[in-house]
Amino acid sequence: MQISTIAVIGGLGKIGDRVVERLDGRNSPVMNGISRILCRQPKDFFDYARQTAATGIWSFQS
């Protein structure tokens, strides 16, 4: 569904809000696609960010 369609439906009040909640993905079931693709459990983003920051790759150099 396109963003403009969701915006129009969302402008319809409470009924529109309920339709948008159903269609915008927030009620999608949790799936295991990432685990299946990676053949492992996905890494927590906080852990990834902490480990990557520790390498210095994100440090600013002018």
Side-chain angles (χ1 to χ4, degrees):
M1 181 169 291
Q2 294 179 342
I3 299 294
S4 59
T5 304
I6 291 176
V8 169
I9 293 171
L12 297 176
K14 290 183 180 183
I15 292 173
D17 292 343
R18 289 188 180 173
V19 171
V20 170
E21 282 181 17
R22 300 276 184 205
L23 300 177
D24 71 358
R26 75 178 87 171
N27 293 313
S28 297
V30 176
M31 306 297 282
N32 67 349
I34 298 297
S35 299
R36 289 179 27 210
I37 290 169
L38 296 175
C39 297
R40 64 172 173 79
Q41 288 296 316
K43 188 180 288 189
D44 181 74
F45 183 76
F46 179 78
D47 293 337
Y48 161 77
R50 186 170 22 93
Q51 291 170 357
T52 303
T55 68
I57 193 90
W58 292 335
S59 60
F60 178 73
Q61 296 176 349
S62 56

